[in-house]
Amino acid sequence: MILPTMTLPELVNELLKDSKEVIARRKNFMSKFDRIRKRRVIYPWLWETTVQTKRRNDWYMGYYAYSKKDASAIFPQISIYFRYANTTWAAFLIQQKDRTCLLLFSPHFFERYIERFLKAAQEDIQFPIKEYAKYFFLRNYHITPYKPETEDKVRGFCEDGMFLGEWISEDAGLVKTFLSRDEMKVNQYTEYYECAANWIIDDMYMSRTGYSLTTPEFDKLSDEWFSPYVWRDFIFRRDNPTWNQIFVDCMTFKKEHNEEYNLCSDMLEKIRENKAENGQ
């Protein structure tokens, strides 16, 4: 159980101890959830539930779909909201093939998200921070941090922009602040574009097969999967206004900064190749 006297490492340890149980319970529920989803005819659809673990922590599973096609590309995410140091915090579980990564989201992150994405001043905040945190995780079901073995700092992307922070341990990061897509520099937006492209491909695969794309499967994909025209058709049929805007923004960015995009993309690819060669 989360206690106000815990240090950050103790808090991380407590939540990671919960992770196997929470992920297992979601996995066991997914077949039933898929049946519910396939029978659903009224959209948009918000589905949510709370799971209490044996350690008496209440984890939130949330899911929001705009259409039936949209629903086929999303699965319930796992997060938790709690009071720590007299403020509202959140944590998010990212399940990877060989381990689980935990991201802690600080109060300062949500302040910046409200200010920079929702464009609301502190005095205009009408709801508890917990409700804004839920809104963030329902919109941003792709939360992609760079792994600690390649980055000293937490740096990653989500639908609405970029997040920054620091790694507490190999499996846990503290997310401190947020940049909207409008605030990102060209090199940052280039990375965002490449992340968004991978998200689209993964969502297309999820929509067609019912499960996430693995690395071996990704390597075998035909050229069709990497075509912006195919992406546009998928997103149009998906009817998700968030992704409609992301696609327009990404295509506009690439058109307006094509030369800079290519230079940044080539540099990023060289950096990745260099790290791979050095075993990092």
Side-chain angles (χ1 to χ4, degrees):
M1 184 176 183
I2 296 173
L3 300 173
T5 55
M6 286 180 170
T7 63
L8 274 180
E10 288 171 339
L11 181 60
V12 166
N13 186 52
E14 172 74 11
L15 295 175
L16 284 174
K17 285 181 179 177
D18 264 353
S19 62
K20 288 184 179 179
E21 179 184 350
V22 178
I23 290 172
R25 290 174 70 173
R26 180 179 67 178
K27 182 178 180 180
N28 291 337
F29 178 71
M30 282 307 295
S31 59
K32 180 180 178 181
F33 179 81
D34 282 340
R35 292 195 294 271
I36 296 171
R37 177 180 58 80
K38 290 174 181 177
R39 291 197 299 265
R40 184 78 184 181
V41 294
I42 300 175
Y43 288 90
W45 175 34
L46 170 64
W47 176 89
E48 54 187 348
T49 190
T50 300
V51 174
Q52 186 174 86
T53 62
K54 295 175 183 178
R55 304 180 70 83
R56 298 177 61 193
N57 295 313
D58 293 326
W59 289 82
Y60 173 80
M61 291 189 194
Y63 176 101
Y64 188 83
Y66 287 94
S67 67
K68 198 170 190 68
K69 187 70 175 179
D70 191 38
S72 67
I74 308 171
F75 60 93
Q77 302 285 35
I78 304 172
S79 53
I80 189 170
Y81 312 95
F82 53 91
R83 297 289 292 177
Y84 180 72
N86 295 320
T87 53
T88 299
W89 289 60
F92 182 80
L93 289 177
I94 301 174
Q95 189 178 6
Q96 299 171 330
K97 59 181 179 180
D98 55 351
R99 66 181 185 185
T100 298
C101 177
L102 177 79
L103 291 181
L104 289 176
F105 287 80
S106 69
H108 186 265
F109 169 85
F110 292 112
E111 289 173 5
R112 289 294 173 263
Y113 180 73
I114 292 168
E115 171 193 345
R116 293 172 174 174
F117 183 79
L118 300 180
K119 308 297 184 183
Q122 287 293 318
E123 59 269 21
D124 297 329
I125 295 176
Q126 301 178 6
F127 305 102
I129 295 298
K130 179 180 177 180
E131 299 306 311
Y132 289 101
K134 282 186 177 181
Y135 176 83
F136 170 79
F137 288 117
L138 288 171
R139 278 184 59 90
N140 296 275
Y141 60 93
H142 290 109
I143 296 178
T144 307
Y146 283 81
K147 294 180 181 179
E149 61 264 25
T150 59
E151 296 286 337
D152 294 330
K153 301 290 184 181
V154 170
R155 187 171 64 88
F157 299 93
C158 56
E159 274 84 346
D160 290 337
M162 183 177 190
F163 55 88
L164 300 161
E166 62 185 25
W167 291 102
I168 301 172
S169 67
E170 184 178 345
D171 298 317
L174 172 60
V175 180
K176 295 182 175 181
T177 194
F178 170 83
L179 295 175
S180 68
R181 294 197 301 273
D182 293 339
E183 296 173 299
M184 287 191 284
K185 299 176 181 178
V186 172
N187 64 312
Q188 294 170 332
Y189 214 124
T190 298
E191 291 184 281
Y192 176 85
Y193 178 98
E194 294 186 351
C195 267
N198 287 329
W199 295 334
I200 293 170
I201 293 167
D202 193 56
D203 287 355
M204 287 170 54
Y205 198 87
M206 169 76 78
S207 180
R208 295 182 187 183
T209 66
Y211 59 91
S212 293
L213 186 63
T214 64
T215 300
E217 290 163 337
F218 183 90
D219 294 338
K220 296 177 182 178
L221 293 177
S222 65
D223 292 344
E224 169 204 8
W225 290 83
F226 301 90
S227 167
Y229 298 103
V230 175
W231 301 345
R232 182 182 63 186
D233 182 58
F234 168 72
I235 290 170
F236 175 78
R237 288 184 288 108
R238 183 174 183 168
D239 196 24
N240 179 320
T242 297
W243 268 101
N244 288 345
Q245 191 60 54
I246 290 172
F247 184 76
V248 170
D249 288 351
C250 282
M251 293 301 107
T252 301
F253 160 76
K254 192 174 181 182
K255 181 179 180 180
E256 293 179 350
H257 302 89
N258 191 55
E259 184 176 351
E260 294 164 287
Y261 167 83
N262 289 330
L263 288 172
C264 290
S265 182
D266 289 345
M267 185 181 297
L268 290 169
E269 182 60 30
K270 286 183 173 66
I271 291 172
R272 284 191 288 266
E273 289 175 357
N274 185 54
K275 288 180 176 177
E277 288 174 0
N278 291 308
Q280 296 180 357

